[in-house]
Structure formats: C-alpha cells, structure tokens
C-alpha cells in the first residue's frame, strides 16, 4: 500500500489512547511520531523544578516566559530531554499531570511549544497527537482524527499504564486528574481543545487497537486511494 506524504493530526481528550494509536500508525506507515503533550509536560517539569509554579498552581508567568528563552527542551533517542537529561519518566508522573493543564493554558508557553512543533511540519509523513494539532498547529493537515472514549475506560487505561511503570495510583485520583485536565484544556482561552470541523471522530471505548487500525485504513483508502 502506497501511503501519501501527509500529516496526520490526532486530537482528543486525555487518555483516549491517542499516543498509543499514533505510535502504531507511525510504525505501520513509516511516519515520524511526535508527542506534543510531552513538550507541555517538559515545560511543566521545568517550571516546577525552578519555582515558577507552586502547589496551588499559581504561575510566575513573566519569570517563566523569560526562562523559556534558554530552555533546551527537545526530543531525543530516549524520548523527551532538557539539555542532555532524559526527563521521560518524570514527565509521566501524576504530580506533573496535576500541573500540566494550567501551564499549557499560558499563551507564552503555547507559543514556545507551537514554534517547535511547526518546525516538524516542514516535513510530511508525520503523525502528531495533542489537543490543538488539527485546529492550531497544523490546520492544513491532510487527515485529522478526534479521539474520545468513556471516562471510566480512560481512567482504567491510564491507571494501568502508570502502574505498569511502577507508580502506585488510585483510579479515583486518575479519574479526577483526567476530568480536571479535560475541563481546563477545553475551556482555556488560547487554542482550547475542540474538534476541528474537518476532523473525523473515533470513539474507541469498545475497540481494540487492531479494530482502530482497520477503521483508519478504510478511511485512508476512501480518501487517498491507498
Ligand atoms: O497528551 P498529554 O496527556 O501528555 O498532554 C498533557 C497536557 O498537555 C494536556 O493535559 C494538555 C496539554 N496539551 C495541550 O494543551 N496541547 C497539546 N497539543 C498537547 C497537550
């Protein structure tokens, strides 16, 4: 099957399986996978470690904006890095998840991340997941998906993922975090999470990964003849 040179933008609520699906798509089509949320999580870790956000989620916006000028946040072999320090494990913790939505609502943070993400858009054959990829980062993406699933299924999936990585979490805490993040992500002023008009909805509550792939290939065949 000849896959065209396109950008696939995947948006949706927290823990709907966007990144798992995006990684499988990337593998199947030999695309580059980019996890935009990792950059927001990386900025959040940086903000926590440098005192730009406190436990009440008050943010020193001007201090953070200034510090971002020198922040070397990037993707490398082991995932996400600040300089030569791999931060992949730290950014997946619940303590970072608790603060990432307030940080991601700061317009200066969004501008910092958007600039990095758009650099990748100069090349095609990428699949990127996030909250505003089809609406703001790549509004011209050739294929846009908007993923959703029931809150219970999402919380179970995320808790299982975190437990597999050794973090001891309670379903109630994970569910609360997901709901709070979805609310903040959908209601912020700058680039809120919303379905692009031309995005196709995928509710994967009762779908296996194989079924999602079959669904996608049918869409690709219909749209691109591949
Ligand atoms: O996909 P994730 O759960 O790792 O994303 C973490 C947070 O980052 C999410 O709650 C909102 C924010 N985010 C965003 O605002 N825009 C994106 N394109 C990606 C993530």
């Amino acid at each position: 099957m000849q896959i065209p040179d396109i950008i696939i933008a995947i948006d949706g609520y927290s823990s709907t399986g966007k990144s798992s699906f995006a990684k499988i798509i990337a593998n199947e089509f030999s695309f580059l996978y980019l996890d935009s949320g990792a950059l927001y999580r990386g900025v959040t870790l940086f903000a926590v470690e440098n005192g730009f956000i406190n436990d009440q989620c008050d943010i020193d916006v001007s201090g953070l904006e200034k510090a971002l000028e020198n922040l070397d946040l990037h993707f490398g072999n082991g995932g996400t890095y600040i300089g030569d320090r791999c931060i992949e494990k730290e950014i997946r913790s619940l303590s970072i998840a608790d603060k990432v939505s307030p940080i991601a609502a700061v317009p200066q943070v969004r501008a910092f991340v958007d600039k990095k993400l758009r650099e990748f858009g100069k090349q095609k054959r990428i699949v990127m997941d996030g909250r505003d990829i089809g609406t703001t980062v790549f509004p011209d993406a050739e294929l846009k998906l908007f993923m959703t699933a029931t809150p219970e299924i999402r919380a179970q999936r995320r808790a299982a993922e975190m437990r597999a990585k050794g973090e001891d979490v309670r379903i109630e805490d994970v569910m609360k975090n997901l709901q709070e993040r979805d609310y903040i992500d959908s209601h912020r002023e700058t680039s809120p999470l919303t379905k692009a008009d031309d995005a196709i909805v995928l509710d994967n509550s009762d779908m296996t990964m194989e079924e999602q792939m079959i669904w996608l290939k049918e869409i690709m065949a219909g749209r691109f003849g591949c």
Side-chain angles (χ1 to χ4, degrees), residues 36-37 40-41 100-101 104 110 130-133 181 185 188:
S36 68
Y40 288 103
R41 289 169 179 267
V100 65
S101 286
R110 301 206 72 79
R131 304 295 187 289
D132 64 340
I133 309 306
R181 277 204 287 149
D185 295 343
R188 66 179 174 230

Side-chain angles (χ1 to χ4, degrees), residues 10-15 18-19 33 35-41 44 91-92 96-97 100-105 110 113-114 117 128-133 137 158 177-178 181-182 184-185 188 190-193:
I10 305 183
D11 291 303
Y13 297 104
S14 295
S15 293
K18 300 184 296 296
S19 64
Y33 163 60
D35 171 4
S36 68
L39 297 184
Y40 288 103
R41 289 169 179 267
T44 305
I91 62 172
R92 306 293 164 191
I96 292 301
V100 65
S101 286
I103 289 285
R110 301 206 72 79
V113 171
D114 281 355
L117 298 178
M128 186 180 290
D129 79 313
R131 304 295 187 289
D132 64 340
I133 309 306
V137 180
R158 178 55 68 109
N177 171 261
L178 294 183
R181 277 204 287 149
D182 286 344
I184 300 173
D185 295 343
R188 66 179 174 230
T190 312
S191 308
L193 165 64

Side-chain angles (χ1 to χ4, degrees), residues 106-202:
V106 175
Q108 291 89 335
V109 171
R110 301 206 72 79
F112 171 83
V113 171
D114 281 355
K115 193 162 167 241
K116 289 186 187 293
L117 298 178
R118 290 202 180 107
E119 279 294 309
F120 290 107
K122 292 180 183 157
Q123 68 193 77
K124 293 283 177 167
R125 303 185 79 81
I126 60 176
V127 50
M128 186 180 290
D129 79 313
R131 304 295 187 289
D132 64 340
I133 309 306
T135 51
T136 304
V137 180
F138 298 131
D140 297 329
E142 289 82 358
L143 182 62
K144 300 178 187 177
L145 308 181
F146 189 87
M147 291 179 60
T148 181
T150 65
E152 292 74 20
I153 289 194
R154 292 158 50 202
Q156 280 163 17
R157 284 180 187 157
R158 178 55 68 109
E161 219 174 82
M162 294 175 108
R163 285 175 186 151
K165 286 182 189 159
E167 196 168 355
D168 184 21
V169 289
R170 299 187 323 152
I171 289 272
E172 305 86 86
D173 294 337
V174 174
M175 174 94 91
K176 185 165 168 279
N177 171 261
L178 294 183
Q179 285 169 339
E180 281 172 1
R181 277 204 287 149
D182 286 344
Y183 184 85
I184 300 173
D185 295 343
S186 312
H187 289 81
R188 66 179 174 230
E189 222 160 277
T190 312
S191 308
L193 165 64
T194 170
K195 186 184 101 54
D197 290 340
D198 51 349
I200 307 166
V201 175
L202 170 60

